[in-house]
Amino acid sequence: MARKKKPDDPFRWLDSSPEVIRLVVLMYVKYPLSPRNVEDLLFERGIDICHETVRLWWTRFGPMFAGEIRRRRVQHMRSYTH
């Protein structure tokens, strides 16, 4: 019996949770904020990260999140009849 290959978890080597990473990346992309502004906003909420971490996560995970959003948007649009 062949085993199904499990997709690699892109967050497996990071200490932060995927929810925090998603929050950081989407906050940086959705609002006109600099990495330092995102760092300050998160620090006020008890999350202590560096602005370089914001930039690194955006570079590393931004395309992945954009692809997920794009797929959901396309599926949503296909659910409507034209």
Side-chain angles (χ1 to χ4, degrees):
M1 186 180 339
R3 279 184 147 185
K4 250 186 174 178
K5 186 173 181 180
K6 192 175 180 182
D8 290 336
D9 181 19
F11 307 104
R12 69 182 171 269
W13 304 113
L14 301 172
D15 292 334
S16 297
S17 70
E19 292 83 18
V20 170
I21 295 172
R22 182 178 298 274
L23 173 70
V24 168
V25 172
L26 293 180
M27 187 182 284
Y28 179 70
V29 172
K30 188 173 183 177
Y31 304 107
L33 300 171
S34 70
R36 290 185 191 268
N37 290 59
V38 174
E39 175 187 9
D40 291 341
L41 286 172
L42 292 171
F43 185 75
E44 290 175 2
R45 287 158 180 79
I47 301 171
D48 189 19
I49 60 168
C50 177
H51 67 279
E52 282 298 314
T53 305
V54 174
R55 187 190 58 77
L56 175 73
W57 287 350
W58 173 71
T59 306
R60 185 170 178 184
F61 299 110
M64 182 180 71
F65 295 149
E68 289 174 7
I69 292 168
R70 197 174 300 115
R71 276 190 295 279
R72 275 189 268 140
R73 190 174 291 162
V74 167
Q75 288 173 353
H76 181 70
M77 293 296 285
R78 286 183 180 161
S79 67
Y80 292 112
T81 56
H82 294 282

Coordinates of all heavy atoms in Angstrom, one line a residue:
M1 N 0.8 -1.2 0.0 CA 0.0 0.0 0.0 C 0.9 1.2 0.0 O 1.8 1.4 0.8 CB -0.9 0.0 1.2 CG -1.9 1.1 1.2 SD -3.0 1.2 2.6 CE -3.1 -0.3 3.4
A2 N 0.6 2.1 -0.9 CA 1.4 3.4 -1.0 C 0.9 4.4 0.0 O -0.3 4.6 0.2 CB 1.4 3.9 -2.4
R3 N 1.8 5.1 0.6 CA 1.5 6.2 1.5 C 1.3 7.5 0.7 O 2.0 7.7 -0.2 CB 2.6 6.4 2.5 CG 2.6 5.4 3.6 CD 3.7 5.8 4.6 NE 3.3 5.5 5.9 CZ 4.0 5.8 7.0 NH1 5.1 6.5 6.9 NH2 3.6 5.5 8.2
K4 N 0.3 8.2 1.2 CA 0.1 9.5 0.6 C 1.2 10.4 1.2 O 1.4 10.5 2.4 CB -1.3 10.0 1.0 CG -2.2 10.1 -0.1 CD -3.5 10.8 0.4 CE -4.4 11.0 -0.8 NZ -5.6 11.6 -0.3
K5 N 1.8 11.2 0.3 CA 2.8 12.1 0.8 C 2.2 13.3 1.4 O 1.3 14.0 0.8 CB 3.8 12.5 -0.3 CG 4.9 13.3 0.2 CD 5.9 13.6 -0.9 CE 7.0 14.4 -0.3 NZ 8.1 14.7 -1.2
K6 N 2.5 13.6 2.6 CA 2.0 14.7 3.3 C 2.7 16.0 2.8 O 3.9 16.0 2.7 CB 2.2 14.6 4.8 CG 1.4 15.5 5.7 CD 1.6 15.1 7.1 CE 0.9 16.1 8.1 NZ 1.1 15.7 9.4
P7 N 1.9 17.1 2.5 CA 2.6 18.3 2.1 C 3.5 18.9 3.2 O 3.1 18.8 4.4 CB 1.5 19.2 1.7 CG 0.2 18.7 2.4 CD 0.5 17.2 2.6
D8 N 4.6 19.4 2.8 CA 5.5 20.0 3.8 C 4.9 21.2 4.5 O 4.2 22.0 3.8 CB 6.8 20.4 3.1 CG 7.6 19.2 2.7 OD1 7.4 18.1 3.3 OD2 8.4 19.3 1.8
D9 N 5.1 21.3 5.8 CA 4.5 22.4 6.5 C 5.6 23.6 6.4 O 6.7 23.4 6.9 CB 4.3 22.0 8.0 CG 3.8 23.1 8.8 OD1 3.2 24.1 8.3 OD2 3.9 23.0 10.1
P10 N 5.2 24.7 5.8 CA 6.1 25.8 5.7 C 6.5 26.5 7.0 O 7.5 27.2 7.1 CB 5.4 26.8 4.8 CG 4.0 26.5 4.9 CD 3.9 25.0 5.2
F11 N 5.8 26.2 8.1 CA 6.0 26.8 9.4 C 6.8 25.9 10.3 O 7.0 26.3 11.5 CB 4.7 27.2 10.0 CG 3.8 28.0 9.1 CD1 2.7 27.5 8.5 CD2 4.1 29.4 8.9 CE1 1.9 28.3 7.7 CE2 3.3 30.2 8.1 CZ 2.2 29.6 7.5
R12 N 7.2 24.8 9.9 CA 7.8 23.7 10.8 C 9.0 24.2 11.5 O 9.3 23.7 12.6 CB 8.0 22.4 10.0 CG 9.1 22.5 9.0 CD 9.3 21.2 8.3 NE 10.2 21.3 7.2 CZ 9.9 21.6 6.0 NH1 8.6 21.8 5.7 NH2 10.8 21.7 5.1
W13 N 9.8 25.0 11.0 CA 11.1 25.4 11.6 C 11.0 26.7 12.4 O 12.0 27.2 13.0 CB 12.2 25.6 10.6 CG 12.4 24.3 9.8 CD1 12.2 24.2 8.4 CD2 12.9 23.1 10.2 NE1 12.4 23.0 8.0 CE2 12.9 22.2 9.1 CE3 13.3 22.6 11.4 CZ2 13.3 20.9 9.2 CZ3 13.7 21.2 11.5 CH2 13.7 20.4 10.4
L14 N 9.8 27.3 12.5 CA 9.6 28.6 13.2 C 9.0 28.4 14.5 O 8.2 27.5 14.8 CB 8.7 29.5 12.3 CG 9.3 29.8 10.9 CD1 8.3 30.5 10.1 CD2 10.6 30.6 11.0
D15 N 9.4 29.3 15.5 CA 8.9 29.3 16.8 C 7.5 29.9 16.9 O 6.8 29.6 17.9 CB 9.9 30.0 17.8 CG 11.2 29.2 18.0 OD1 11.2 28.0 17.8 OD2 12.2 29.8 18.3
S16 N 7.2 30.8 16.0 CA 5.9 31.5 16.1 C 4.8 30.6 15.5 O 5.1 29.8 14.6 CB 6.0 32.8 15.3 OG 7.0 33.6 15.9
S17 N 3.6 30.9 15.9 CA 2.5 30.2 15.4 C 2.1 30.7 14.0 O 2.3 31.8 13.7 CB 1.3 30.3 16.3 OG 0.8 31.6 16.3
P18 N 1.5 29.8 13.2 CA 1.1 30.3 11.8 C 0.1 31.4 11.9 O 0.1 32.2 11.0 CB 0.5 29.0 11.2 CG 1.1 27.9 12.0 CD 1.4 28.4 13.3
E19 N -0.7 31.4 12.9 CA -1.7 32.5 13.0 C -1.1 33.9 13.2 O -1.5 34.9 12.6 CB -2.7 32.2 14.2 CG -3.6 31.1 14.0 CD -2.9 29.7 14.4 OE1 -1.9 29.7 15.1 OE2 -3.4 28.7 13.9
V20 N 0.0 33.9 14.0 CA 0.7 35.2 14.2 C 1.4 35.6 12.9 O 1.4 36.8 12.5 CB 1.8 35.1 15.4 CG1 2.7 36.3 15.4 CG2 1.0 34.9 16.7
I21 N 2.0 34.7 12.2 CA 2.7 35.0 11.0 C 1.7 35.5 10.0 O 1.9 36.5 9.3 CB 3.4 33.7 10.4 CG1 4.6 33.3 11.4 CG2 4.0 34.0 9.0 CD1 5.2 32.0 11.1
R22 N 0.5 34.8 9.9 CA -0.5 35.3 8.9 C -1.0 36.7 9.3 O -1.1 37.6 8.4 CB -1.7 34.3 8.9 CG -2.8 34.7 8.0 CD -3.9 33.7 8.0 NE -3.4 32.4 7.6 CZ -3.4 32.0 6.3 NH1 -3.7 32.8 5.3 NH2 -3.0 30.8 6.0
L23 N -1.2 37.0 10.6 CA -1.6 38.3 11.1 C -0.5 39.4 10.7 O -0.9 40.4 10.1 CB -1.8 38.3 12.6 CG -2.0 39.7 13.2 CD1 -3.4 40.2 12.8 CD2 -1.9 39.6 14.7
V24 N 0.7 39.1 10.9 CA 1.8 40.0 10.6 C 1.8 40.3 9.1 O 1.8 41.5 8.6 CB 3.2 39.5 11.0 CG1 4.3 40.3 10.5 CG2 3.2 39.5 12.6
V25 N 1.8 39.3 8.3 CA 1.9 39.5 6.8 C 0.7 40.2 6.3 O 0.8 41.2 5.5 CB 2.1 38.1 6.1 CG1 2.0 38.3 4.6 CG2 3.4 37.5 6.5
L26 N -0.5 39.8 6.7 CA -1.7 40.5 6.2 C -1.8 41.9 6.7 O -2.3 42.8 6.0 CB -2.9 39.6 6.5 CG -3.0 38.3 5.8 CD1 -4.3 37.5 6.2 CD2 -2.9 38.4 4.3
M27 N -1.4 42.2 7.9 CA -1.4 43.5 8.4 C -0.5 44.4 7.6 O -0.8 45.5 7.2 CB -1.0 43.5 9.9 CG -1.1 44.9 10.6 SD -0.5 44.8 12.3 CE -1.9 44.0 13.1
Y28 N 0.7 43.9 7.2 CA 1.7 44.6 6.5 C 1.1 44.9 5.0 O 1.3 46.0 4.5 CB 3.0 43.9 6.4 CG 4.0 44.6 5.6 CD1 4.6 45.8 6.0 CD2 4.4 44.1 4.4 CE1 5.6 46.4 5.3 CE2 5.4 44.7 3.6 CZ 6.0 45.9 4.1 OH 6.9 46.5 3.3
V29 N 0.5 43.9 4.5 CA 0.0 44.0 3.1 C -1.3 44.8 3.0 O -1.4 45.7 2.1 CB -0.2 42.6 2.5 CG1 -0.9 42.7 1.1 CG2 1.1 41.9 2.4
K30 N -2.2 44.6 3.9 CA -3.6 45.2 3.8 C -3.6 46.7 4.1 O -4.3 47.4 3.5 CB -4.5 44.5 4.7 CG -5.9 44.9 4.6 CD -6.9 44.1 5.4 CE -8.3 44.5 5.2 NZ -9.2 43.6 5.9
Y31 N -2.8 47.1 5.0 CA -2.7 48.5 5.4 C -1.4 49.2 5.0 O -0.4 48.5 5.0 CB -2.9 48.6 7.0 CG -4.2 47.9 7.4 CD1 -4.1 46.7 8.1 CD2 -5.4 48.5 7.2 CE1 -5.2 46.1 8.6 CE2 -6.6 47.8 7.6 CZ -6.5 46.6 8.3 OH -7.6 46.0 8.7
P32 N -1.4 50.4 4.7 CA -0.2 51.1 4.3 C 0.7 51.4 5.5 O 0.9 52.5 6.0 CB -0.7 52.4 3.7 CG -2.0 52.7 4.4 CD -2.6 51.3 4.7
L33 N 1.3 50.3 6.0 CA 2.2 50.4 7.2 C 3.6 50.0 6.8 O 3.8 49.1 5.9 CB 1.7 49.5 8.3 CG 0.3 49.7 8.8 CD1 -0.1 48.6 9.8 CD2 0.2 51.0 9.5
S34 N 4.6 50.5 7.5 CA 5.9 50.1 7.3 C 6.2 48.9 8.3 O 5.4 48.7 9.2 CB 6.9 51.2 7.7 OG 6.9 51.5 9.1
P35 N 7.3 48.1 8.1 CA 7.5 47.0 9.0 C 7.7 47.5 10.4 O 7.3 46.8 11.4 CB 8.8 46.5 8.5 CG 8.8 46.8 7.0 CD 8.1 48.1 6.9
R36 N 8.2 48.7 10.6 CA 8.4 49.3 12.0 C 7.0 49.6 12.6 O 6.8 49.4 13.8 CB 9.3 50.5 12.0 CG 10.7 50.1 11.7 CD 11.6 51.3 11.8 NE 12.9 51.0 11.3 CZ 13.9 50.6 12.1 NH1 13.8 50.4 13.4 NH2 15.1 50.4 11.5
N37 N 6.1 50.1 11.8 CA 4.7 50.3 12.3 C 4.0 49.0 12.7 O 3.3 49.0 13.7 CB 3.9 51.0 11.2 CG 4.3 52.4 11.0 OD1 5.5 52.7 10.6 ND2 3.4 53.4 11.1
V38 N 4.2 48.0 11.9 CA 3.6 46.7 12.2 C 4.2 46.2 13.5 O 3.5 45.7 14.4 CB 3.8 45.7 11.1 CG1 3.4 44.3 11.5 CG2 3.1 46.1 9.8
E39 N 5.6 46.3 13.7 CA 6.2 45.9 14.9 C 5.7 46.7 16.1 O 5.4 46.0 17.1 CB 7.7 46.3 14.8 CG 8.6 46.0 16.0 CD 10.0 46.5 15.9 OE1 10.3 47.2 14.9 OE2 10.8 46.2 16.8
D40 N 5.4 48.0 16.0 CA 4.9 48.8 17.1 C 3.5 48.3 17.4 O 3.1 48.2 18.6 CB 4.9 50.3 16.8 CG 6.3 50.8 16.7 OD1 7.2 50.2 17.3 OD2 6.5 51.9 16.1
L41 N 2.6 48.1 16.4 CA 1.2 47.7 16.7 C 1.2 46.4 17.4 O 0.4 46.2 18.3 CB 0.5 47.7 15.4 CG 0.1 49.0 14.8 CD1 -0.5 48.8 13.4 CD2 -0.9 49.7 15.6
L42 N 2.0 45.5 16.9 CA 2.0 44.1 17.6 C 2.6 44.2 19.0 O 2.1 43.4 19.8 CB 2.8 43.1 16.7 CG 2.1 42.8 15.4 CD1 3.0 42.0 14.5 CD2 0.8 42.1 15.6
F43 N 3.6 45.0 19.2 CA 4.1 45.2 20.5 C 3.1 45.7 21.5 O 3.0 45.2 22.7 CB 5.3 46.1 20.5 CG 6.0 46.2 21.9 CD1 6.8 45.1 22.3 CD2 5.9 47.3 22.7 CE1 7.5 45.2 23.5 CE2 6.5 47.4 23.9 CZ 7.3 46.3 24.3
E44 N 2.2 46.6 21.1 CA 1.1 47.0 21.9 C 0.1 45.9 22.3 O -0.6 46.0 23.3 CB 0.3 48.2 21.2 CG 1.1 49.4 21.1 CD 0.4 50.5 20.3 OE1 -0.7 50.3 19.9 OE2 1.0 51.6 20.1
R45 N 0.1 44.9 21.5 CA -0.8 43.7 21.7 C -0.1 42.6 22.3 O -0.6 41.5 22.4 CB -1.4 43.3 20.4 CG -2.5 44.3 19.9 CD -2.8 44.2 18.5 NE -3.8 45.2 18.0 CZ -3.5 46.5 17.8 NH1 -2.4 47.0 18.1 NH2 -4.5 47.3 17.4
G46 N 1.2 42.8 22.7 CA 1.9 41.8 23.5 C 2.7 40.8 22.6 O 3.2 39.8 23.1
I47 N 2.9 41.1 21.3 CA 3.7 40.3 20.4 C 5.0 41.0 20.1 O 5.0 42.1 19.5 CB 2.9 40.0 19.1 CG1 1.6 39.2 19.5 CG2 3.8 39.1 18.2 CD1 0.7 39.1 18.3
D48 N 6.1 40.5 20.6 CA 7.4 41.2 20.4 C 8.2 40.6 19.3 O 8.7 39.5 19.5 CB 8.1 41.1 21.8 CG 9.4 42.0 21.8 OD1 9.5 42.9 20.9 OD2 10.3 41.7 22.6
I49 N 8.2 41.2 18.2 CA 9.0 40.8 17.0 C 9.7 42.0 16.5 O 9.4 43.1 16.7 CB 8.1 40.2 15.9 CG1 7.1 41.2 15.4 CG2 7.4 38.9 16.3 CD1 6.5 40.7 14.1
C50 N 10.7 41.7 15.7 CA 11.6 42.8 15.1 C 11.0 43.1 13.7 O 10.3 42.3 13.1 CB 13.0 42.2 14.9 SG 14.1 43.3 14.1
H51 N 11.3 44.4 13.3 CA 10.8 44.8 12.0 C 11.4 44.0 10.8 O 10.8 43.8 9.8 CB 11.0 46.3 11.8 CG 12.5 46.7 11.7 ND1 13.2 46.8 12.8 CD2 13.3 46.9 10.6 CE1 14.5 47.1 12.4 NE2 14.5 47.1 11.1
E52 N 12.6 43.5 11.1 CA 13.2 42.6 10.1 C 12.5 41.3 10.0 O 12.5 40.7 8.9 CB 14.7 42.4 10.4 CG 15.6 43.5 10.1 CD 15.6 43.8 8.6 OE1 15.7 42.9 7.8 OE2 15.5 45.0 8.2
T53 N 11.9 40.8 11.0 CA 11.1 39.6 11.0 C 9.9 39.8 10.2 O 9.5 39.0 9.4 CB 10.7 39.2 12.4 OG1 11.9 39.0 13.2 CG2 9.9 37.9 12.4
V54 N 9.3 41.0 10.3 CA 8.1 41.4 9.4 C 8.5 41.3 8.0 O 7.8 40.7 7.2 CB 7.6 42.8 9.8 CG1 6.5 43.2 8.8 CG2 7.1 42.8 11.2
R55 N 9.6 41.9 7.6 CA 10.1 41.9 6.2 C 10.4 40.4 5.8 O 10.0 40.0 4.7 CB 11.3 42.7 6.1 CG 11.8 42.9 4.7 CD 13.2 43.6 4.6 NE 14.2 42.8 5.3 CZ 14.8 41.7 4.8 NH1 14.4 41.2 3.7 NH2 15.7 41.1 5.5
L56 N 11.0 39.7 6.6 CA 11.4 38.3 6.3 C 10.1 37.4 6.0 O 10.0 36.7 5.0 CB 12.3 37.7 7.3 CG 12.6 36.2 7.2 CD1 13.6 36.0 6.0 CD2 13.1 35.6 8.4
W57 N 9.2 37.5 7.0 CA 7.9 36.8 6.8 C 7.2 37.2 5.6 O 6.6 36.4 4.9 CB 7.1 36.9 8.1 CG 7.6 36.1 9.2 CD1 8.6 35.2 9.2 CD2 7.2 36.2 10.6 NE1 8.8 34.7 10.5 CE2 8.0 35.3 11.3 CE3 6.2 36.9 11.2 CZ2 7.8 35.1 12.7 CZ3 6.0 36.8 12.6 CH2 6.8 35.9 13.3
W58 N 7.1 38.5 5.3 CA 6.4 39.0 4.1 C 7.1 38.4 2.9 O 6.3 38.0 2.0 CB 6.4 40.5 4.1 CG 5.9 41.1 2.8 CD1 4.5 41.0 2.5 CD2 6.6 41.7 1.8 NE1 4.4 41.6 1.2 CE2 5.6 42.0 0.8 CE3 7.9 42.0 1.6 CZ2 6.0 42.7 -0.4 CZ3 8.3 42.6 0.4 CH2 7.3 43.0 -0.5
T59 N 8.4 38.4 2.8 CA 9.1 37.9 1.7 C 8.8 36.4 1.5 O 8.6 35.9 0.4 CB 10.6 38.2 1.8 OG1 10.8 39.6 2.0 CG2 11.3 37.8 0.5
R60 N 8.9 35.7 2.6 CA 8.8 34.2 2.6 C 7.4 33.7 2.4 O 7.1 32.8 1.7 CB 9.4 33.7 3.9 CG 9.5 32.2 3.9 CD 10.3 31.8 5.1 NE 10.3 30.3 5.2 CZ 10.9 29.7 6.2 NH1 11.5 30.3 7.1 NH2 10.9 28.4 6.2
F61 N 6.4 34.3 3.1 CA 5.0 33.8 3.2 C 4.0 34.6 2.4 O 2.9 34.1 2.1 CB 4.6 33.6 4.6 CG 5.4 32.7 5.4 CD1 6.2 33.2 6.4 CD2 5.4 31.3 5.2 CE1 7.0 32.3 7.2 CE2 6.1 30.5 5.9 CZ 6.9 30.9 6.9
G62 N 4.4 35.8 2.0 CA 3.5 36.6 1.2 C 2.9 36.0 0.0 O 1.7 36.0 -0.3
P63 N 3.8 35.4 -0.9 CA 3.3 34.8 -2.1 C 2.3 33.6 -1.8 O 1.4 33.3 -2.5 CB 4.5 34.3 -2.8 CG 5.6 35.2 -2.3 CD 5.2 35.5 -0.9
M64 N 2.6 32.8 -0.7 CA 1.8 31.7 -0.4 C 0.4 32.2 0.1 O -0.6 31.6 -0.4 CB 2.5 30.9 0.8 CG 1.7 29.7 1.2 SD 2.5 28.8 2.5 CE 2.2 29.9 3.9
F65 N 0.3 33.2 0.9 CA -0.9 33.7 1.3 C -1.7 34.4 0.2 O -2.9 34.2 0.1 CB -0.8 34.8 2.5 CG -0.2 34.2 3.7 CD1 0.6 34.9 4.6 CD2 -0.5 32.9 4.1 CE1 1.1 34.4 5.7 CE2 0.0 32.3 5.3 CZ 0.8 33.1 6.1
A66 N -1.0 35.0 -0.7 CA -1.6 35.6 -1.9 C -2.3 34.6 -2.8 O -3.4 34.7 -3.3 CB -0.6 36.5 -2.7
G67 N -1.6 33.4 -2.9 CA -2.1 32.3 -3.7 C -3.4 31.8 -3.1 O -4.3 31.4 -3.8
E68 N -3.4 31.6 -1.8 CA -4.5 31.1 -1.1 C -5.7 32.1 -1.2 O -6.8 31.6 -1.5 CB -4.3 31.0 0.4 CG -3.3 29.8 0.8 CD -3.0 29.8 2.3 OE1 -3.6 30.6 3.0 OE2 -2.1 29.0 2.7
I69 N -5.5 33.4 -1.1 CA -6.5 34.3 -1.3 C -7.1 34.3 -2.7 O -8.3 34.3 -2.9 CB -6.0 35.8 -0.9 CG1 -5.8 35.8 0.6 CG2 -7.0 36.8 -1.3 CD1 -5.0 37.0 1.0
R70 N -6.2 34.2 -3.7 CA -6.6 34.2 -5.1 C -7.4 32.9 -5.4 O -8.4 33.0 -6.0 CB -5.3 34.2 -5.9 CG -5.5 34.5 -7.4 CD -4.2 34.7 -8.2 NE -3.4 35.7 -7.6 CZ -2.2 35.5 -7.1 NH1 -1.7 34.3 -7.0 NH2 -1.4 36.5 -6.6
R71 N -7.0 31.8 -4.8 CA -7.8 30.5 -5.0 C -9.2 30.6 -4.4 O -10.2 30.3 -5.1 CB -7.1 29.3 -4.4 CG -6.0 28.8 -5.4 CD -5.5 27.5 -4.8 NE -4.8 27.6 -3.5 CZ -3.5 28.0 -3.4 NH1 -2.8 28.3 -4.5 NH2 -2.9 28.1 -2.3
R72 N -9.3 31.2 -3.2 CA -10.6 31.4 -2.6 C -11.5 32.3 -3.4 O -12.6 32.1 -3.5 CB -10.4 31.9 -1.2 CG -10.2 30.7 -0.2 CD -10.3 31.2 1.2 NE -8.9 31.6 1.6 CZ -8.5 32.6 2.4 NH1 -9.4 33.4 2.8 NH2 -7.3 32.8 2.7
R73 N -10.9 33.4 -3.9 CA -11.6 34.4 -4.7 C -12.1 33.8 -6.0 O -13.3 34.0 -6.3 CB -10.7 35.6 -5.0 CG -11.5 36.7 -5.5 CD -10.6 38.0 -5.7 NE -10.2 38.5 -4.4 CZ -9.2 39.3 -4.1 NH1 -8.5 39.7 -5.1 NH2 -9.0 39.7 -2.9
V74 N -11.3 33.0 -6.6 CA -11.7 32.3 -7.9 C -12.8 31.3 -7.6 O -13.8 31.3 -8.3 CB -10.5 31.6 -8.6 CG1 -11.0 30.7 -9.7 CG2 -9.6 32.7 -9.1
Q75 N -12.7 30.5 -6.5 CA -13.8 29.6 -6.2 C -15.1 30.3 -5.9 O -16.1 29.9 -6.2 CB -13.3 28.7 -5.0 CG -12.3 27.7 -5.3 CD -11.8 27.0 -4.1 OE1 -12.1 27.4 -2.9 NE2 -10.9 26.0 -4.3
H76 N -15.0 31.4 -5.2 CA -16.1 32.2 -4.9 C -16.8 32.7 -6.1 O -18.0 32.7 -6.3 CB -15.8 33.3 -3.9 CG -16.9 34.2 -3.5 ND1 -17.9 33.7 -2.6 CD2 -17.3 35.4 -3.8 CE1 -18.8 34.7 -2.4 NE2 -18.4 35.7 -3.1
M77 N -16.0 33.2 -7.1 CA -16.5 33.8 -8.3 C -17.2 32.7 -9.1 O -18.2 32.9 -9.8 CB -15.4 34.5 -9.1 CG -14.9 35.7 -8.5 SD -16.1 37.0 -8.3 CE -16.2 37.5 -10.0
R78 N -16.6 31.5 -9.1 CA -17.2 30.3 -9.9 C -18.5 29.9 -9.3 O -19.2 29.2 -10.0 CB -16.2 29.2 -9.9 CG -15.0 29.5 -10.9 CD -14.1 28.3 -11.0 NE -13.0 28.6 -11.9 CZ -11.8 28.0 -11.9 NH1 -11.6 27.0 -11.1 NH2 -10.9 28.4 -12.7
S79 N -18.7 30.2 -8.1 CA -20.0 29.7 -7.5 C -21.2 30.5 -8.0 O -22.3 30.0 -7.9 CB -19.9 29.8 -5.9 OG -19.9 31.1 -5.5
Y80 N -20.9 31.7 -8.6 CA -22.0 32.5 -9.1 C -22.2 32.0 -10.6 O -21.3 31.8 -11.3 CB -21.7 34.0 -9.1 CG -21.7 34.5 -7.7 CD1 -20.5 35.0 -7.2 CD2 -22.8 34.7 -7.0 CE1 -20.5 35.5 -5.9 CE2 -22.8 35.2 -5.7 CZ -21.6 35.6 -5.2 OH -21.6 36.2 -3.9
T81 N -23.5 32.0 -11.0 CA -23.8 31.7 -12.4 C -23.7 33.0 -13.2 O -24.1 34.1 -12.7 CB -25.2 31.1 -12.6 OG1 -26.1 32.0 -12.0 CG2 -25.2 29.7 -11.9
H82 N -23.2 32.9 -14.4 CA -23.0 34.1 -15.2 C -24.2 34.3 -16.2 O -24.7 33.4 -16.8 CB -21.7 34.1 -16.0 CG -20.5 34.1 -15.1 ND1 -20.1 35.3 -14.5 CD2 -19.7 33.2 -14.6 CE1 -19.0 35.1 -13.8 NE2 -18.8 33.8 -13.8

